[in-house]
């Protein structure tokens, strides 16, 4: 007898590689944190970048949006390659090219060079997902949720502490130092990963690159769980980006008038979301994926009530940010664990395709929230975030009932 939380899985065919040691998991988590942080460094710097490059307040969200568009393209065109070529080599090449893109952003002198560099940076930062798939491919089905949760914890910390690090470095040196320092750290991690990661020994599918990409679309049409969870990712990360892509704007204005460092420090508060990743993975392993998702989405809707009082109270922002990030990461880990289990042999395509929707949602949230803020203020942004979150909850409820029938 099965419960509504159980999802039929294909036969497991894990790669015949050495099991992941604790040291390897920690290194994968650290590398994922550093790589994904690059996508979010700009968020507390939007006001400064707007002034330096003459970009209007209503259009400055394009910096984040183009980075997310690049990330989405990388998810579709790069991450699936892990099912076809040696993942260790793929990760190494991506990291080296990412360091070069970061250097270009840090040295950019015009808005066009900045935007092109941000797009390329996002395109290459998808190495984060290659690292998650690598970890999942070496974990057995009974431990996969836990391992994915641990690596995702590092990714979550990278996403949220990116704001703290970029704000602090921008105040101490300049916004350019943020990207140049990240380039150096990325190269250092490249050397460490090259030494630590095992090579792939599993058979490779007899597919061309074009067939590989086409099969990602085929998987989306055939696998209902993949479709449902991808749409949930789009919505929850649109809500996530609605907050974090826009919150620097009201915080930098009266009555708060916070510095880059103070704005970035709220990433420390939001980093509590990382605490939800590993427990959510363990709950998935125990068969409670659907319940975990439902509770998390309800919390996501509720988080916008305290966030609406951000201008009046920084405590309200802190409480709302913690609840929102806990909810988003619980859904995210559960999603990834569920869809990888559908077809472990196609893990790169499944995770890459799923994360395309993550990127679309993040980009939509960034451009939508900054445009709404410019037109109607912070209260309207919170209404937008709450509406997106409510739609995600309704989608989960409907698809859950469909899965039971």
């Amino acid at each position: 007898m099965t419960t509504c939380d159980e999802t039929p899985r294909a036969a497991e065919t894990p790669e015949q590689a050495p099991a992941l040691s604790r040291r390897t998991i920690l290194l994968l988590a650290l590398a994922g944190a550093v790589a994904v942080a690059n996508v979010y460094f700009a968020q507390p710097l939007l006001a400064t970048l707007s002034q330096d490059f003459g970009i209007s307040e209503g259009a400055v969200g394009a910096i984040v949006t183009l980075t997310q568009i690049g990330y989405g393209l990388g998810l579709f065109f790069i991450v699936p390659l892990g099912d076809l070529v040696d993942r260790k080599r793929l990760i190494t090449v991506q990291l080296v090219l990412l360091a070069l893109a970061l250097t270009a952003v840090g040295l950019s002198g015009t808005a066009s060079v900045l935007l092109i560099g941000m797009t390329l940076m996002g395109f290459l930062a998808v190495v984060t997902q290659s690292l998650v798939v690598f970890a999942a491919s070496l974990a057995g089905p009974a431990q996969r949720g836990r391992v994915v949760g641990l690596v995702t914890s590092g990714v979550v910390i990278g996403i949220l502490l990116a704001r703290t690090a970029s704000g602090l470095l921008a105040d101490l040196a300049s916004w350019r130092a943020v990207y140049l320092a990240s380039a150096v750290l990325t190269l250092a991690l490249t050397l460490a990963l090259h030494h630590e990661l095992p090579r792939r020994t599993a058979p490779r599918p007899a597919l061309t690159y074009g067939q590989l990409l086409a099969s990602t679309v085929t998987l989306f049409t055939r696998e209902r769980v993949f479709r449902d969870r991808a749409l949930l990712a789009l919505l929850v990360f649109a809500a996530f980006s609605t907050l974090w892509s826009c919150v620097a704007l009201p915080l930098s204005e009266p009555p708060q008038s916070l510095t880059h460092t103070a704005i970035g420090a709220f990433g420390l508060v939001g980093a509590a979301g990382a605490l939800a990743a590993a427990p959510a993975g363990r709950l998935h392993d125990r068969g409670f994926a659907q319940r975990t998702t439902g509770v998390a989405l309800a919390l996501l809707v509720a988080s916008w009530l305290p966030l609406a009082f951000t201008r009046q109270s920084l405590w309200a922002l802190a409480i709302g940010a913690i609840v929102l990030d806990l909810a988003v990461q619980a859904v995210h880990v559960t999603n990834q664990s569920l869809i990888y289990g559908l077809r472990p042999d196609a893990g790169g395509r499944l995770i890459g395709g799923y994360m395309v929707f993550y990127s679309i949602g993040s980009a939509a949230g960034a451009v939508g929230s900054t445009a709404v803020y410019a037109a109607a203020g912070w209260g309207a942004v919170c209404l937008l975030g709450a509406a997106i979150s409510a739609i995600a909850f309704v989608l989960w409820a409907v698809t859950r009932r469909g899965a039971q029938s």
Side-chain angles (χ1 to χ4, degrees):
M1 182 176 179
T2 62
T3 71
C4 62
D5 285 306
E6 295 172 350
T7 301
R9 297 171 182 256
E12 296 284 345
T13 55
E15 297 181 9
Q16 301 302 311
L20 286 173
S21 67
R22 185 171 183 82
R23 183 177 68 178
T24 303
I25 293 174
L26 290 175
L27 184 57
L28 287 167
L30 177 60
V34 171
V36 79
N38 296 301
V39 180
Y40 298 92
F41 279 150
Q43 290 182 359
L45 308 177
L46 290 179
T48 298
L49 293 172
S50 175
Q51 294 171 4
D52 284 2
F53 290 94
I55 303 172
S56 70
E57 186 179 78
V60 73
I63 293 175
V64 177
T65 300
L66 286 174
T67 305
Q68 292 292 346
I69 289 173
Y71 198 82
L73 292 172
L75 289 169
F76 186 78
F77 289 104
I78 296 180
V79 176
L81 274 173
D83 295 337
L84 196 61
V85 302
D86 176 52
R87 285 199 176 102
K88 178 178 179 179
R89 181 177 299 174
L90 178 64
I91 288 168
T92 301
V93 172
Q94 280 182 263
L95 286 170
V96 171
L97 293 176
L98 176 59
L100 293 175
L102 286 164
T103 302
V105 170
L107 298 177
S108 59
T110 65
S112 59
V113 173
L114 173 72
L115 295 175
I116 292 171
M118 288 286 189
T119 305
L120 291 174
M121 183 186 69
F123 183 72
L124 295 161
V126 296
V127 67
T128 299
Q129 299 311 315
S130 297
L131 294 166
V132 172
V133 176
F134 189 93
S137 70
L138 296 179
Q143 296 81 36
R144 181 169 298 128
R146 182 182 66 86
V147 171
V148 170
L150 289 170
V151 176
T152 302
S153 293
V155 175
V156 175
I157 290 172
I159 291 173
L160 295 167
L161 295 192
R163 302 169 181 85
T164 304
S166 63
L168 180 61
L169 273 176
D171 281 339
L172 292 176
S174 71
W175 69 265
R176 297 180 186 277
V178 175
Y179 294 97
L180 295 176
S182 184
V184 173
L185 183 55
T186 298
L187 287 176
L189 283 169
T190 302
L191 294 175
L193 287 167
H194 183 73
H195 177 266
E196 182 72 19
L197 298 183
R199 288 193 176 276
R200 173 176 179 156
T201 57
R204 299 173 185 175
L207 296 173
T208 65
Y209 179 60
Q211 291 171 331
L212 185 78
L213 296 182
S215 68
T216 302
V217 178
T218 301
L219 286 168
F220 182 80
T221 61
R222 292 181 178 175
E223 300 287 354
R224 178 173 181 173
V225 172
F226 183 18
R227 293 196 303 274
D228 293 345
R229 292 288 162 163
L231 292 174
L232 275 181
L234 187 154
L235 292 167
V236 298
F237 281 101
F240 179 88
S241 186
T242 293
L243 172 64
W244 290 112
S245 295
C246 185
V247 73
L249 298 176
L251 291 181
S252 63
E253 299 172 352
Q256 305 295 355
S257 301
L258 301 183
T259 65
H260 291 131
T261 300
I263 293 172
F266 277 94
L268 293 171
V269 174
L275 300 176
R282 287 193 291 269
L283 286 169
H284 163 270
D285 293 338
R286 294 173 58 189
F288 299 118
Q290 290 284 8
R291 297 178 200 176
T292 301
T293 303
V295 171
L297 289 172
L299 289 173
L300 182 62
V301 176
S303 70
W304 290 99
L305 179 59
L307 288 172
F309 295 94
T310 292
R311 283 190 177 276
Q312 291 76 35
S313 170
L314 294 179
W315 283 107
L317 171 60
I319 293 169
I322 289 172
V323 174
L324 181 142
D325 290 337
L326 283 169
V328 168
Q329 300 311 324
V331 175
H332 185 42
V333 170
T334 304
N335 286 350
Q336 291 183 101
S337 300
L338 281 172
I339 65 172
Y340 186 90
L342 296 170
R343 287 278 304 276
D345 61 305
R349 282 162 282 172
L350 287 167
I351 297 296
Y354 163 82
M355 291 297 295
V356 167
F357 286 81
Y358 156 102
S359 190
I360 292 170
S362 295
V367 71
S369 62
T370 52
V372 167
Y373 181 81
W378 180 248
V381 171
C382 292
L383 286 175
L384 174 65
I388 295 170
S389 303
I391 292 170
F393 184 86
V394 171
L395 174 64
W396 166 78
V398 171
T399 55
R400 183 176 189 243
R401 286 199 300 269
Q404 288 177 290
S405 59

PDB file of all heavy atoms in Angstrom, residues 106 169-170 172-183:
ATOM      1  N   GLY A 106      34.088  42.778 -13.465  1.00  0.00           N
ATOM      2  CA  GLY A 106      34.806  43.652 -12.551  1.00  0.00           C
ATOM      3  C   GLY A 106      35.557  44.775 -13.224  1.00  0.00           C
ATOM      4  O   GLY A 106      35.781  45.829 -12.621  1.00  0.00           O
ATOM      5  N   LEU A 169      32.072  44.259   0.861  1.00  0.00           N
ATOM      6  CA  LEU A 169      33.201  44.575  -0.018  1.00  0.00           C
ATOM      7  C   LEU A 169      32.987  45.888  -0.767  1.00  0.00           C
ATOM      8  O   LEU A 169      33.938  46.648  -0.987  1.00  0.00           O
ATOM      9  CB  LEU A 169      33.425  43.434  -1.022  1.00  0.00           C
ATOM     10  CG  LEU A 169      34.323  42.285  -0.573  1.00  0.00           C
ATOM     11  CD1 LEU A 169      34.372  41.202  -1.633  1.00  0.00           C
ATOM     12  CD2 LEU A 169      35.726  42.782  -0.261  1.00  0.00           C
ATOM     13  N   ALA A 170      31.741  46.149  -1.152  1.00  0.00           N
ATOM     14  CA  ALA A 170      31.455  47.400  -1.856  1.00  0.00           C
ATOM     15  C   ALA A 170      31.724  48.609  -0.966  1.00  0.00           C
ATOM     16  O   ALA A 170      32.227  49.639  -1.435  1.00  0.00           O
ATOM     17  CB  ALA A 170      30.011  47.412  -2.341  1.00  0.00           C
ATOM     18  N   LEU A 172      33.839  48.605   1.689  1.00  0.00           N
ATOM     19  CA  LEU A 172      35.258  48.648   2.035  1.00  0.00           C
ATOM     20  C   LEU A 172      36.141  49.042   0.855  1.00  0.00           C
ATOM     21  O   LEU A 172      37.147  49.739   1.027  1.00  0.00           O
ATOM     22  CB  LEU A 172      35.711  47.284   2.568  1.00  0.00           C
ATOM     23  CG  LEU A 172      35.139  46.852   3.922  1.00  0.00           C
ATOM     24  CD1 LEU A 172      35.601  45.445   4.259  1.00  0.00           C
ATOM     25  CD2 LEU A 172      35.558  47.834   5.023  1.00  0.00           C
ATOM     26  N   ALA A 173      35.770  48.594  -0.320  1.00  0.00           N
ATOM     27  CA  ALA A 173      36.586  48.875  -1.511  1.00  0.00           C
ATOM     28  C   ALA A 173      35.716  49.495  -2.592  1.00  0.00           C
ATOM     29  O   ALA A 173      35.593  50.708  -2.701  1.00  0.00           O
ATOM     30  CB  ALA A 173      37.258  47.584  -1.996  1.00  0.00           C
ATOM     31  N   SER A 174      35.074  48.652  -3.417  1.00  0.00           N
ATOM     32  CA  SER A 174      34.161  49.108  -4.463  1.00  0.00           C
ATOM     33  C   SER A 174      33.378  47.904  -4.955  1.00  0.00           C
ATOM     34  O   SER A 174      33.710  46.757  -4.632  1.00  0.00           O
ATOM     35  CB  SER A 174      34.931  49.722  -5.641  1.00  0.00           C
ATOM     36  OG  SER A 174      35.607  48.707  -6.368  1.00  0.00           O
ATOM     37  N   TRP A 175      32.355  48.168  -5.738  1.00  0.00           N
ATOM     38  CA  TRP A 175      31.584  47.050  -6.266  1.00  0.00           C
ATOM     39  C   TRP A 175      32.428  46.183  -7.185  1.00  0.00           C
ATOM     40  O   TRP A 175      32.196  44.977  -7.304  1.00  0.00           O
ATOM     41  CB  TRP A 175      30.331  47.538  -6.988  1.00  0.00           C
ATOM     42  CG  TRP A 175      30.589  48.277  -8.282  1.00  0.00           C
ATOM     43  CD1 TRP A 175      30.687  49.621  -8.455  1.00  0.00           C
ATOM     44  CD2 TRP A 175      30.788  47.687  -9.575  1.00  0.00           C
ATOM     45  NE1 TRP A 175      30.935  49.916  -9.772  1.00  0.00           N
ATOM     46  CE2 TRP A 175      30.999  48.754 -10.487  1.00  0.00           C
ATOM     47  CE3 TRP A 175      30.799  46.380 -10.054  1.00  0.00           C
ATOM     48  CZ2 TRP A 175      31.234  48.526 -11.845  1.00  0.00           C
ATOM     49  CZ3 TRP A 175      31.031  46.154 -11.404  1.00  0.00           C
ATOM     50  CH2 TRP A 175      31.242  47.217 -12.283  1.00  0.00           C
ATOM     51  N   ARG A 176      33.435  46.755  -7.822  1.00  0.00           N
ATOM     52  CA  ARG A 176      34.308  45.974  -8.707  1.00  0.00           C
ATOM     53  C   ARG A 176      35.102  44.927  -7.936  1.00  0.00           C
ATOM     54  O   ARG A 176      35.364  43.819  -8.442  1.00  0.00           O
ATOM     55  CB  ARG A 176      35.253  46.907  -9.461  1.00  0.00           C
ATOM     56  CG  ARG A 176      34.550  47.895 -10.384  1.00  0.00           C
ATOM     57  CD  ARG A 176      35.542  48.795 -11.105  1.00  0.00           C
ATOM     58  NE  ARG A 176      34.842  49.822 -11.872  1.00  0.00           N
ATOM     59  CZ  ARG A 176      34.333  49.636 -13.092  1.00  0.00           C
ATOM     60  NH1 ARG A 176      34.469  48.449 -13.676  1.00  0.00           N
ATOM     61  NH2 ARG A 176      33.708  50.612 -13.713  1.00  0.00           N
ATOM     62  N   ALA A 177      35.487  45.250  -6.705  1.00  0.00           N
ATOM     63  CA  ALA A 177      36.252  44.307  -5.886  1.00  0.00           C
ATOM     64  C   ALA A 177      35.462  43.033  -5.614  1.00  0.00           C
ATOM     65  O   ALA A 177      36.045  41.955  -5.446  1.00  0.00           O
ATOM     66  CB  ALA A 177      36.647  44.978  -4.577  1.00  0.00           C
ATOM     67  N   VAL A 178      34.139  43.144  -5.580  1.00  0.00           N
ATOM     68  CA  VAL A 178      33.288  41.980  -5.337  1.00  0.00           C
ATOM     69  C   VAL A 178      33.526  40.919  -6.410  1.00  0.00           C
ATOM     70  O   VAL A 178      33.757  39.738  -6.111  1.00  0.00           O
ATOM     71  CB  VAL A 178      31.805  42.393  -5.324  1.00  0.00           C
ATOM     72  CG1 VAL A 178      30.900  41.168  -5.196  1.00  0.00           C
ATOM     73  CG2 VAL A 178      31.528  43.387  -4.196  1.00  0.00           C
ATOM     74  N   TYR A 179      33.505  41.323  -7.661  1.00  0.00           N
ATOM     75  CA  TYR A 179      33.614  40.365  -8.765  1.00  0.00           C
ATOM     76  C   TYR A 179      35.051  39.905  -8.997  1.00  0.00           C
ATOM     77  O   TYR A 179      35.288  38.741  -9.333  1.00  0.00           O
ATOM     78  CB  TYR A 179      33.018  40.996 -10.026  1.00  0.00           C
ATOM     79  CG  TYR A 179      31.536  41.222  -9.884  1.00  0.00           C
ATOM     80  CD1 TYR A 179      31.027  42.466  -9.506  1.00  0.00           C
ATOM     81  CD2 TYR A 179      30.637  40.178 -10.070  1.00  0.00           C
ATOM     82  CE1 TYR A 179      29.661  42.663  -9.328  1.00  0.00           C
ATOM     83  CE2 TYR A 179      29.277  40.361  -9.897  1.00  0.00           C
ATOM     84  CZ  TYR A 179      28.793  41.607  -9.528  1.00  0.00           C
ATOM     85  OH  TYR A 179      27.443  41.792  -9.338  1.00  0.00           O
ATOM     86  N   LEU A 180      36.008  40.779  -8.780  1.00  0.00           N
ATOM     87  CA  LEU A 180      37.406  40.382  -8.953  1.00  0.00           C
ATOM     88  C   LEU A 180      37.839  39.405  -7.858  1.00  0.00           C
ATOM     89  O   LEU A 180      38.562  38.437  -8.125  1.00  0.00           O
ATOM     90  CB  LEU A 180      38.294  41.624  -8.963  1.00  0.00           C
ATOM     91  CG  LEU A 180      38.058  42.574 -10.146  1.00  0.00           C
ATOM     92  CD1 LEU A 180      38.930  43.830 -10.006  1.00  0.00           C
ATOM     93  CD2 LEU A 180      38.332  41.878 -11.474  1.00  0.00           C
ATOM     94  N   ALA A 181      37.388  39.640  -6.627  1.00  0.00           N
ATOM     95  CA  ALA A 181      37.710  38.713  -5.547  1.00  0.00           C
ATOM     96  C   ALA A 181      37.070  37.350  -5.793  1.00  0.00           C
ATOM     97  O   ALA A 181      37.677  36.298  -5.537  1.00  0.00           O
ATOM     98  CB  ALA A 181      37.229  39.289  -4.215  1.00  0.00           C
ATOM     99  N   SER A 182      35.846  37.344  -6.310  1.00  0.00           N
ATOM    100  CA  SER A 182      35.172  36.083  -6.611  1.00  0.00           C
ATOM    101  C   SER A 182      35.900  35.311  -7.706  1.00  0.00           C
ATOM    102  O   SER A 182      35.954  34.075  -7.680  1.00  0.00           O
ATOM    103  CB  SER A 182      33.724  36.350  -7.031  1.00  0.00           C
ATOM    104  OG  SER A 182      33.029  35.140  -7.249  1.00  0.00           O
ATOM    105  N   ALA A 183      36.460  36.018  -8.676  1.00  0.00           N
ATOM    106  CA  ALA A 183      37.218  35.352  -9.739  1.00  0.00           C
ATOM    107  C   ALA A 183      38.416  34.602  -9.163  1.00  0.00           C
ATOM    108  O   ALA A 183      38.702  33.447  -9.550  1.00  0.00           O
ATOM    109  CB  ALA A 183      37.690  36.389 -10.764  1.00  0.00           C
TER     110      ALA A 183
END
